[in-house]
Amino acid sequence: MSFKSIIQDMKGEFGSISRRGFDVKFGYGMRSRSHRVVQDSSVPVDVFKQSCWANMPPELLRDVLMRIEASESTWPPRKNVVVCAGVCRNWREIMKEIVKTPEISCKLTFPISLKQPGPRDSLLQCYIKRNRSNQTYYLYLGLNQASNDDGKFLLAARKCRRPTCTDYIISLNCNDVSKGSSTYIGKLRSNFLGTKFTVYDAQPPNAGAKVTKSYSTRLINMKQVSPRVPAGNYPVAHISYELNVLGSRGPRRMHCVMDAIPASSIEPGGVAPTQTEFLHSNLDTFPSLLFFRSKSTRAESFQSGPLSDQKDGMLVLRNKSPRWHEQLQCWCLNFNGRVTVASVKNFQLVASPENAAAGQEHENVILQFGKVGKDVFTMDYQYPISAFQAFAICLSSFDTKIACE
């Protein structure tokens, strides 16, 4: 029996197990509720114990799983990697070591990947779709550069207007976008004018993060999402737009202070905090397959300590200044073909000169966002920010800013 036949046979076995046990859809956006998934999770385990793969030698098993991970590099075939991690505890431990973080692999595999920094040397291409009717935004991983009609769902956000501010609730589940949801991972909050925003993470981004108490914090505490860590709103970024009181023409001016990322992270060898697990232990709510620690990073839950204990300050990003095009009579930025429609919302973020080591050599784009069609926008990001942070920053551009335009 050839090695290729073995892998094909395993994939066929995984297909029957996944169909009977759970719906693999990147771990969220499932058609069934989370507790239903956990209740059915015993089915694939029983099926697996009766299969011919239960007693495979560890060395051969590791080799097979490594080849599956290497061959299934894009979605939707990459769901087979997720299935492998959910077969049993032994397989899961092996997949923890095989699957690398997006910084190294340039791939988004498990939900925790959305909280980890992107690739160092390339932009990870995503896009956002806006639903005006229900004020909801959906983030997808781009699967086809020629079209934004298909993609892998990553995150969803819903706009909630308050008397004095606006909240954007961010969730892993496109069908349950609320603060009390078990898939709530953070939010974006604006001030009354829509000129200042704060990005909150539902769990601490580093060991010394301080929680900000609010009504949503009390909702999460009532749910008892994680008894090990105090649930709440941990500020990870502050975004501000300059006021345009004179009404002069030109693009918006914005800058972002990344509270959880040191300025040295953009230097060669610099390190940004990397979350390695979702700190949820309520197994009645969360399927054990989807939220686990990755051994491709350090053993601790967070790779770096609080910024207050580090020598350098916080990373500051600013929008790249566009140039005026005389023939087109408009402000222009080079998006390398990723943006096709002129919009005041379009921007590119680079390291600000405020960072001690930043200079001309740091003009590489860390995040770019722009319009490509009606209610469709591209979002490309790279190290040291994560997909969650990039999505939250882009959401700030959707908010109405009367004093900035």
Side-chain angles (χ1 to χ4, degrees):
M1 187 175 184
S2 66
F3 196 86
K4 184 176 181 180
S5 300
I6 293 177
I7 295 180
Q8 291 177 348
D9 192 13
M10 291 183 73
K11 290 179 180 179
E13 189 96 16
F14 298 156
S16 62
I17 291 175
S18 63
R19 284 189 295 272
R20 291 183 61 180
F22 43 81
D23 178 22
V24 178
K25 198 173 183 182
F26 201 27
Y28 31 81
M30 301 178 182
R31 290 189 291 268
S32 59
R33 293 297 181 183
S34 299
H35 67 274
R36 178 67 179 275
V37 177
V38 176
Q39 187 178 4
D40 295 343
S41 62
S42 60
V43 176
V45 176
D46 294 337
V47 174
F48 177 75
K49 287 181 178 179
Q50 301 173 6
S51 70
C52 59
W53 309 107
N55 298 317
M56 179 180 291
E59 296 79 8
L60 178 59
L61 175 60
R62 177 179 292 273
D63 193 13
V64 171
L65 294 180
M66 289 181 65
R67 296 196 181 202
I68 291 177
E69 195 279 334
S71 62
E72 312 291 19
S73 59
T74 59
W75 287 91
R78 195 160 178 80
K79 68 181 180 182
N80 293 323
V81 178
V82 181
V83 175
C84 288
V87 171
C88 64
R89 186 184 300 274
N90 184 30
W91 288 43
R92 183 181 307 174
E93 291 299 320
I94 296 176
M95 294 308 297
K96 290 178 186 179
E97 302 176 359
I98 294 176
V99 177
K100 305 300 181 183
T101 61
E103 174 188 354
I104 300 173
S105 65
C106 302
K107 301 182 182 72
L108 297 175
T109 306
F110 302 106
I112 193 60
S113 303
L114 302 176
K115 290 291 191 75
Q116 298 172 340
R120 282 186 178 268
D121 300 323
S122 62
L123 290 168
L124 204 55
Q125 296 184 347
C126 308
Y127 65 92
I128 298 173
K129 285 190 174 182
R130 174 177 57 183
N131 188 331
R132 293 177 180 267
S133 61
N134 58 7
Q135 294 291 292
T136 306
Y137 306 83
Y138 304 95
L139 176 65
Y140 296 88
L141 176 66
L143 303 181
N144 184 2
Q145 294 185 356
S147 173
N148 290 323
D149 294 333
D150 58 346
K152 188 59 192 173
F153 170 78
L154 302 178
L155 291 170
R158 182 170 57 87
K159 184 176 182 179
C160 301
R161 294 185 179 275
R162 312 293 183 195
T164 59
C165 64
T166 301
D167 284 349
Y168 290 83
I169 308 301
I170 303 175
S171 172
L172 295 168
N173 192 335
C174 62
N175 298 319
D176 189 5
V177 187
S178 62
K179 294 178 182 177
S181 169
S182 60
T183 54
Y184 167 78
I185 62 170
K187 70 177 182 181
L188 173 74
R189 168 164 289 184
S190 74
N191 63 356
F192 179 74
L193 294 176
T195 57
K196 295 184 183 298
F197 298 79
T198 302
V199 181
Y200 294 99
D201 198 329
Q203 68 178 32
N206 53 56
K210 295 182 180 181
V211 64
T212 300
K213 292 293 181 178
S214 66
Y215 177 70
S216 60
T217 301
R218 294 192 294 272
L219 282 176
I220 298 174
N221 284 332
M222 288 189 294
K223 288 275 186 175
Q224 293 183 349
V225 172
S226 175
R228 291 179 294 166
V229 177
N233 295 317
Y234 296 85
V236 295
H238 290 81
I239 309 161
S240 62
Y241 291 81
E242 291 186 13
L243 296 174
N244 186 10
V245 293
L246 299 179
S248 58
R249 295 181 60 189
R252 298 170 178 170
R253 297 181 181 179
M254 62 182 292
H255 77 276
C256 306
V257 179
M258 310 303 297
D259 299 28
I261 303 177
S264 62
S265 61
I266 60 176
E267 298 298 324
V271 177
T274 303
Q275 297 185 25
T276 57
E277 66 173 344
F278 283 103
L279 301 179
H280 302 304
S281 60
N282 189 348
L283 298 182
D284 293 333
T285 306
F286 289 88
S288 57
L289 156 69
L290 304 169
F291 304 95
F292 61 79
R293 179 174 301 186
S294 172
K295 288 188 177 179
S296 60
T297 55
R298 297 185 185 178
E300 297 85 356
S301 295
F302 308 101
Q303 282 196 339
S304 69
L307 293 183
S308 58
D309 295 338
Q310 299 174 359
K311 295 181 179 180
D312 50 354
M314 305 172 185
L315 176 66
V316 179
L317 305 177
R318 61 168 177 83
N319 65 312
K320 193 173 183 179
S321 300
R323 60 180 181 84
W324 178 257
H325 198 289
E326 290 293 341
Q327 294 180 342
L328 299 178
Q329 290 293 299
C330 65
W331 297 96
C332 295
L333 281 171
N334 182 14
F335 288 94
N336 295 310
R338 291 285 292 162
V339 176
T340 57
V341 180
S343 173
V344 71
K345 297 179 175 63
N346 301 349
F347 67 81
Q348 291 180 324
L349 291 184
V350 297
S352 173
E354 297 176 25
N355 298 308
Q360 289 298 116
E361 68 274 12
H362 290 293
E363 282 296 304
N364 59 309
V365 176
I366 295 176
L367 169 64
Q368 67 178 19
F369 171 79
K371 191 173 184 179
V372 293
K374 184 179 180 180
D375 297 323
V376 181
F377 304 79
T378 57
M379 186 199 86
D380 305 335
Y381 75 98
Q382 66 173 337
Y383 195 90
I385 66 174
S386 65
F388 165 71
Q389 294 167 340
F391 185 42
I393 294 173
C394 292
L395 288 175
S396 70
S397 186
F398 285 107
D399 203 55
T400 304
K401 302 168 182 61
I402 300 176
C404 300
E405 300 173 356

